[in-house]
Amino acid sequence: MIKPNQKRWSRVKRDYELYLFLLPIIILYLVFRYYPMYGVQIAFKDFSPSQGIWGSEWVGFQHFIDFFNSYNFWPIITNTLSLSFLSLLFGFPAPIIIAIMLNQMLGKKYKKFVQTVIYAPHFISTVVLVGMLNIFLSPNSGIVNHVITLFGGDPILFMADEGWFRPLYILSGIWQETGFATIIYLAALAGVNPELHEAATVDGASKWKRVWYVDIPSILPTIVILLILALGNIMSIGFEKAFLMQSDLNYATSNIIPTYVYEMGIQKAQYSFSTAVGLFNSFINVILIFTVNRIAKKMTETSLW
Amino acid sequence: MNQLLKRKSRGDAWFDIINYILLTIIMLLVLFPLYFVLIASFSDPNYIYSGEVWLFPKGFTLDGYERIFGDSSIWIGYANSILYATLGTLIGVAVTVFAAYPLARRNLVGKSAIMWFLLVTMFFSGGLIPTYLLIKDLHMLNTIWALVIPGAGGVFNVIIVRTFFQSSIPDEMWEAASIDGCSNTRFFWSIVLPLSKSILAVMVLYHVVGFWNGFFDALIYLNDESKYPLQLVLRNILVQNQVNSGMMIDVESYAAKMRVTELIKYGVIMVSSLPLLILYPFLQKYFVKGVMIGSIKG
């Protein structure tokens, strides 16, 4: 009789080629993803390049305490949280609404054309997007301020105003990503059983009622899954756009955890402190993901794992 | 039944009219900024400055484009971006597809352990600084390799490709082939890959767009300007307002300088986005496909 272990081993031997296929990704992950996790210990050390990660001296939670006590702490936390919550609040419903509207369009050609146009900004780079904001909102030559002065208003220094940072960040995000995000909801809407619509029509339901009582309940599971994903990513708001939009003049609202990590770590070479800030952020993020997933599982029986 | 669905009540007719009007407005709101950049890049900067350009280019000129293409930094950026995108896509797609193939097989020993090994990195990571220090220790700073190797084989892409393999290449196919004496490698090259052209197209597109539009890694890891990809060159012009002196030949007054700078900005946006915007309507279906496959939970 063959022992199960032997059987396993012979299967491994038989499939040795498959393990060779996996070799590149395993090596890449060990080096570039797992080794940096080992490097995270510098958050608890006073890292000096000459002594290396292992040789540097332990300082415990000193860098975390320094961060909590710094005058930057609360502004950064508030900025990060408000920026992501507001983005979610305004950005999340937009593609759902537009997908439902698109789904109601009768003309196939026009529908396709609208889709092609609203997907397009997704392919524009962040640098170009921020560049467009800069030139459109320029106080003396930008088209937006031309419109404002046309109606008798005074030009606004949008990009240099801390009060405008969040609205601009969020609105430009909606402009860029809403169209592309409709794809998933359109797919879900395409899967709605047509008999439900027919039955509702027979019962005299108007289009509006069919959207409300047939379409929306049918795509609710998709909405929940995407909402969990979005909530779980609250702390991992992107670096690129905030960094590019940031200036000394809007620093009060644009200084968020990722830009702060970059500033302290890369620009000021405070490796240990910056790593501690980043680690604190990941820590909260992981807690968030697990909490949100658990709540979702209990309430809707839909979860990520 | 169909008759019934077609017959519209007055409320439904209004619903349709309002729906069309709203969607048309939304579409124009998305389209106008892109269109405006296009017409502004061909207009006399004086008219842009005074706010006279709205729907059509005014004072048609190619001056901006002449200055942009006369400057070497744009060409260097273009060449670098093409190089990084090509190399990065080759490495990235290869690693992803190689990894996805074994993971799609139902009874690979240790499959779930390997899957977890990959998935864990979605929740935990070393973060910016430890990764930076590693790249530095490996002497990869200021080299192409820092841009194209560390991020290769992202978990999401592996899952998308794996899901595709699982649904379009059933295990029975492999069993049949292996009875005929086909090896795993041969099966991969002569059966799996030819049947997976659409997912390969999706992966190539994702990678090309990512490399073409990315600038963060270049910002951190490169300091030699001759190695800058296009996006970093653009950042200097668009965000930091540093237009090369080479582009400013024969511009005398400060005011004129400001105006030409604006014109150059509209121009570089077109020049950098054009390759993707031209290709995009043709490639749209692949992206849509990619999003769809990605949304099927693996």
Side-chain angles (χ1 to χ4, degrees), chain B residues 156-207:
Chain B
F156 268 113
N157 289 339
V158 173
I159 292 176
I160 290 176
V161 181
R162 188 191 70 152
T163 310
F164 179 89
F165 286 161
Q166 277 172 341
S167 57
S168 66
I169 299 159
D171 273 16
E172 289 73 27
M173 215 152 153
W174 154 245
E175 278 154 22
S178 81
I179 288 168
D180 292 343
C182 178
S183 75
N184 274 309
T185 312
R186 171 119 192 264
F187 183 72
F188 175 75
W189 289 111
S190 40
I191 311 273
V192 176
L193 283 189
L195 286 176
S196 310
K197 282 187 190 121
S198 63
I199 196 69
L200 288 177
V202 170
M203 279 300 121
V204 168
L205 291 176
Y206 274 24
H207 279 83

Side-chain angles (χ1 to χ4, degrees), chain A residues 262-278:
Chain A
Y262 172 82
E263 181 193 333
M264 297 312 282
I266 302 288
Q267 293 180 322
K268 299 192 176 156
Q270 296 196 26
Y271 295 138
S272 286
F273 179 76
S274 174
T275 305
V277 177

Side-chain angles (χ1 to χ4, degrees), chain A residues 83-94:
Chain A
L83 198 60
S84 26
F85 269 116
L86 290 171
S87 300
L88 191 64
L89 186 67
F90 293 103
F92 188 77

